Amino acid sequence: MTLQGQEIIRATSKTLPTQPGVYQMEDDKGNILYIGKAKNLSNRVKNYLSINNLTRRIQRMVSLTKSMNFFVTNTELEAIILECNLIKKHKPRFNVLLRDDKSFPYIFISSNHDFPRIEKHRGAKNKSGRYYGPFASPDAVNRTINTIQRIFLLRSCTDKEVAAGNKLCFNFYLKRCSGPCGGKITKREYSKLIESADDFLSSGKSEKIQRDFSNQMYKASKEKNFELAASLRDRLKALKHIAQNNSIKIRDIKNADVFAISTQEGKTCIYGSFFRNNTSYGGKAFFPDHDHLAEVEEIMLGFLNIFYAEKEIPKTIITNTDIKKSNNFSILGKNFEHTKILKPLKGPKKNLLKFAEKNSRINLDLKLNKLKSFDNFTKEITNIFQIKVDINKIEAFDNSHTFGKFPVGVMIAYNNNGFIKSNYRKFNIKFNIANNKNKVDDYYMMKEMLIRRFSNTKFRDQIDLPDLLLIDGGKGQYNAAKSVLNDLKINIPIISMAKGVERDSGREILIHEKLTHRLNENNTLLHFLQNIRDEVHRFAITTHRNKRAKMSIRSVFDDLKGVGPERKKILKRHFGSIESMKLASLEELKKIKSIPENILEQIYQYFHGV
């Protein structure tokens, strides 16, 4: 069998060009087994012919190979990007897959504004300004922005609020902004704050900034400007705190990423710590999917390949795998030519690696416990209701409205990794859901959601079908959902979760087919289902409120010419609510300098019947 796979690879390698590109190995059913990239396609594929030099996993892959395809690219970098995109699309069983590979957030400070704004940025760097990062998570970047605002008083309000210049934002009163939106600081003074923030974020050196703050504080104190002195004292304290807790002083790792891998029971966790300009930008746990025979070195190589495909590469990468000895080191591509990849055995770098290793083990233990819990819960469900299929993914549906107005439906998904946020969906209910008696028809809403979810071929291709549906409601909701699936000839088990007679949480009744079951209020399975039910309910309420707020402000201005979406936003930000705007005097309306006076007069006349 192995010889057959080798013969196919040998025949294909003779026809391959010596250019960079991507190759695919496929089984007898056309399923893609593996996607790889190469600087030289012919030479790379020939490596699979030396069967004794391959790991057991790769030998098995070769034995299953029945055909090969390839794509030629102009450069190796293009091959890296193409390989990454194809792996994401096809998810081959022998590739290392990284599901949580979204772009990391950055801090961004614009350069084309008199009073540059500090903000979080994710995605392509196509705006003029300075980028600082990457940060390990949105929480890490948010914490840093909050600290930077307290220290350097940079604004986070919109450009239009600054342009209006007639109302101070709330951050000014919290002593987290210098007040450009209210004319409290000049352009020159603000530019000095920007320079100090840039020095801190770019170099990580805070000693000079601390000295400047200290001198300013003592000067203000001598001049008996105690309010300013107290403000500078608090900013200095915040600066010292972040310098002491986030800074590292280790030679050769001003910019470095540290990765530690742990494996157990066929699962893997890679924990990454990220340092830029001698400052910690946080850490994050990754759980790559891979074949169960994959070796640690292969997993780390595959992870680095995908992780850095579209990310900046630091000067130093520290790992707990000796990947320099790998025969496949060239897979990392030219991007890594100027990067040191180290496996330290002692010293400060080893201490950083120990920290990452500890976090890797802790996160892997938590992950395994979560997987076991999910498996236990789903097995209990199948046993209670005699469901014949394995449950790997659950979808839950709910709707929300206000007396039949602004109706929305939502869907969430859950698997052994937790809530799958990328699978969340919103449904704007398209038809009138109230009958002649003005009684809201929740059954219709449920039916419309399920029809749109399961009859839309494109939708079904984008998101895999679930193994179980969880419906919030009683027998009527269950029957409505069941009738839709029957009509569509889709066989997916449904469980409806109804409140008890007194509608108390903890006395829910579970309904499936002709069976009903009530779990003890302390039962962990009940808590598991309640958690999913509460999340879909939260998502439905939030979606409905956002739609209601959007539609409400739209309806107020339907009859007014000259008030478009942008001016609606300005008015809403200025007054905080529609009611406050209705009560505003003409003089208060005219304080909004970014809207023409004649439009403001129309608004006043509209609300006051003038």
Side-chain angles (χ1 to χ4, degrees):
M1 193 171 178
T2 301
L3 288 175
Q4 186 180 358
Q6 279 188 278
E7 290 302 323
I8 291 168
I9 292 172
R10 180 176 286 107
T12 304
S13 66
K14 294 177 181 179
T15 65
L16 290 175
T18 57
Q19 295 171 257
V22 172
Y23 58 93
Q24 291 181 179
M25 294 180 170
E26 301 173 359
D27 64 14
D28 55 351
K29 295 180 181 178
N31 298 317
I32 299 175
L33 298 169
Y34 182 79
I35 296 173
K37 63 121 182 59
K39 181 179 179 181
N40 182 315
L41 279 169
S42 180
N43 290 344
R44 179 69 187 92
V45 171
K46 285 177 182 176
N47 288 338
Y48 293 104
L49 300 177
S50 303
I51 202 72
N52 293 329
N53 294 329
L54 303 178
T55 64
R56 280 196 304 148
R57 181 179 74 93
I58 301 301
Q59 288 178 15
R60 188 154 65 93
M61 180 187 75
V62 169
S63 72
L64 293 173
T65 300
K66 295 296 179 287
S67 63
M68 291 188 69
N69 285 322
F70 65 91
F71 308 90
V72 175
T73 60
N74 293 317
T75 65
E76 189 176 7
L77 180 58
E78 287 181 15
I80 291 174
I81 296 172
L82 177 58
E83 178 201 32
C84 183
N85 290 334
L86 289 174
I87 289 173
K88 287 180 182 179
K89 180 179 179 180
H90 297 292
K91 300 178 176 59
R93 60 182 287 195
F94 286 95
N95 280 98
V96 174
L97 304 177
L98 184 60
R99 298 190 184 280
D100 189 11
D101 61 344
K102 293 187 294 186
S103 61
F104 278 26
Y106 284 75
I107 287 177
F108 172 69
I109 299 178
S110 60
S111 61
N112 56 1
H113 197 280
D114 291 335
F115 298 97
R117 174 190 180 194
I118 185 170
E119 58 187 295
K120 180 172 63 179
H121 176 85
R122 194 196 289 270
K125 299 177 181 178
N126 50 17
K127 296 192 290 186
S128 299
R130 286 160 280 196
Y131 296 86
Y132 309 93
F135 288 81
S137 67
D139 286 341
V141 76
N142 288 337
R143 287 195 301 270
T144 304
I145 287 176
N146 288 336
T147 304
I148 295 299
Q149 283 182 287
R150 290 201 305 273
I151 297 170
F152 301 106
L153 307 181
L154 303 186
R155 73 176 178 93
S156 60
C157 53
T158 65
D159 293 349
K160 289 184 178 179
E161 286 175 301
V162 177
N166 57 359
K167 187 177 181 180
L168 286 165
C169 65
F170 196 53
N171 279 335
F172 175 79
Y173 298 105
L174 294 176
K175 297 181 180 179
R176 291 174 52 186
C177 177
S178 51
C181 50
K184 293 291 185 179
I185 188 171
T186 64
K187 295 177 186 177
R188 185 176 179 183
E189 290 171 335
Y190 193 86
S191 66
K192 291 180 180 178
L193 296 178
I194 290 291
E195 288 174 9
S196 296
D198 180 59
D199 286 341
F200 179 74
L201 289 168
S202 297
S203 65
K205 296 179 180 179
S206 64
E207 291 84 358
K208 179 180 180 300
I209 302 170
Q210 290 183 40
R211 287 195 299 270
D212 290 342
F213 278 8
S214 295
N215 294 335
Q216 293 175 46
M217 181 178 67
Y218 290 125
K219 182 181 178 182
S221 180
K222 285 182 180 180
E223 295 174 353
K224 298 186 177 181
N225 190 346
F226 299 119
E227 185 177 353
L228 176 60
S231 173
L232 287 163
R233 177 201 61 203
D234 294 340
R235 292 164 64 189
L236 180 60
K237 185 178 179 181
L239 181 60
K240 287 181 177 178
H241 177 79
I242 195 172
Q244 290 170 357
N245 288 278
N246 287 27
S247 296
I248 56 167
K249 302 293 181 183
I250 301 176
R251 187 165 55 90
D252 299 332
I253 64 163
K254 179 180 179 181
N255 296 306
D257 290 344
V258 182
F259 295 106
I261 184 170
S262 297
T263 61
Q264 188 179 338
E265 298 179 23
K267 300 295 181 182
T268 296
C269 175
I270 297 176
Y271 188 86
S273 297
F274 308 95
F275 300 90
R276 296 295 182 271
N277 303 310
N278 299 113
T279 300
S280 171
Y281 278 5
K284 186 173 183 177
F286 301 89
F287 301 94
D289 293 338
H290 54 81
D291 184 76
H292 72 281
L293 291 177
E295 297 180 354
V296 168
E297 189 177 87
E298 292 178 277
I299 298 170
M300 182 63 83
L301 280 167
F303 169 81
L304 294 176
N305 184 28
I306 296 175
F307 184 81
Y308 288 113
E310 298 176 1
K311 293 183 180 71
E312 294 177 3
I313 303 171
K315 296 289 185 182
T316 305
I317 295 174
I318 298 173
T319 78
N320 62 342
T321 58
D322 197 0
I323 61 176
K324 274 199 171 183
K325 293 181 180 179
S326 170
N327 293 328
N328 294 329
F329 184 70
S330 61
I331 194 173
L332 296 174
K334 291 184 177 180
N335 285 334
F336 287 76
E337 283 183 353
H338 303 293
T339 298
K340 294 180 181 178
I341 301 181
L342 310 173
K343 182 189 176 184
L345 300 177
K346 59 182 179 179
K349 297 185 183 73
K350 178 62 176 178
N351 291 335
L352 285 179
L353 190 57
K354 283 181 178 179
F355 174 79
E357 287 174 332
K358 180 180 179 181
N359 277 281
S360 177
R361 289 192 297 270
I362 291 172
N363 280 280
L364 183 56
D365 288 340
L366 291 171
K367 184 73 167 180
L368 289 171
N369 288 333
K370 192 173 185 179
L371 291 173
K372 290 173 183 176
S373 297
F374 181 83
D375 289 342
N376 291 336
F377 289 142
T378 54
K379 284 177 182 177
E380 190 172 350
I381 291 171
T382 57
N383 289 335
I384 290 171
F385 294 108
Q386 301 173 20
I387 295 172
K388 303 299 182 184
V389 296
D390 292 333
I391 300 172
N392 297 308
K393 179 183 174 185
I394 301 170
E395 285 184 0
F397 294 80
D398 196 9
N399 61 65
S400 182
H401 54 84
T402 302
F403 303 111
K405 294 183 179 180
F406 317 118
V408 296
V410 299
M411 178 197 94
I412 68 167
Y414 192 97
N415 65 8
N416 56 13
N417 292 311
F419 291 109
I420 315 171
K421 296 296 181 73
S422 60
N423 281 193
Y424 282 27
R425 289 297 183 271
K426 304 172 185 177
F427 303 90
N428 282 314
I429 303 302
K430 294 182 177 181
F431 305 108
N432 180 15
I433 64 166
N435 60 23
N436 294 330
K437 296 180 181 179
N438 294 321
K439 183 179 179 181
V440 175
D441 189 353
D442 286 332
Y443 301 151
Y444 168 76
M445 296 179 70
M446 180 60 66
K447 286 182 177 180
E448 182 177 323
M449 276 192 292
L450 294 178
I451 289 170
R452 290 164 63 184
R453 163 64 177 106
F454 294 109
S455 64
N456 188 323
T457 305
K458 183 178 179 181
F459 193 4
R460 290 172 62 175
D461 290 342
Q462 289 175 342
I463 302 177
D464 295 333
L465 292 178
D467 305 298
L468 177 71
L469 298 188
L470 183 64
I471 304 297
D472 186 21
K475 190 66 176 178
Q477 290 282 26
Y478 178 88
N479 290 335
K482 186 67 175 175
S483 67
V484 171
L485 297 193
N486 287 342
D487 291 343
L488 295 173
K489 294 180 172 54
I490 295 175
N491 185 23
I492 297 175
I494 303 170
I495 289 180
S496 185
M497 195 171 181
K499 294 284 181 65
V501 177
E502 299 175 1
R503 299 188 64 79
D504 288 335
S505 180
R507 297 182 61 82
E508 286 89 348
I509 299 170
L510 304 180
I511 303 166
H512 173 69
E513 299 293 351
K514 295 180 180 180
L515 297 173
T516 60
H517 190 84
R518 173 174 283 163
L519 296 167
N520 185 286
E521 60 182 319
N522 295 320
N523 189 295
T524 53
L525 174 59
L526 178 62
H527 298 161
F528 169 73
L529 295 173
Q530 285 174 335
N531 184 37
I532 298 175
R533 190 267 315 276
D534 292 346
E535 170 64 5
V536 72
H537 188 61
R538 178 205 64 79
F539 189 45
I541 291 292
T542 303
T543 303
H544 167 65
R545 285 175 178 169
N546 290 339
K547 181 179 180 180
R548 184 177 62 191
K550 185 178 179 181
M551 297 297 291
S552 295
I553 191 168
R554 180 185 299 166
S555 62
V556 166
F557 296 107
D558 276 346
D559 299 327
L560 279 174
K561 295 181 180 179
V563 182
E566 290 302 319
R567 287 176 179 171
K568 290 176 190 176
K569 290 179 185 177
I570 293 170
L571 289 163
K572 191 176 180 182
R573 279 196 301 265
H574 185 87
F575 290 104
S577 69
I578 299 295
E579 292 304 317
S580 298
M581 185 169 50
K582 288 179 180 178
L583 298 173
S585 65
L586 182 58
E587 289 71 24
E588 288 174 322
L589 283 165
K590 287 185 177 180
K591 289 180 181 179
I592 304 174
K593 303 300 182 184
S594 55
I595 297 178
E597 280 195 13
N598 65 317
I599 300 297
L600 295 171
E601 288 173 358
Q602 286 182 42
I603 294 170
Y604 179 79
Q605 292 170 8
Y606 176 82
F607 286 127
H608 295 82
V610 178

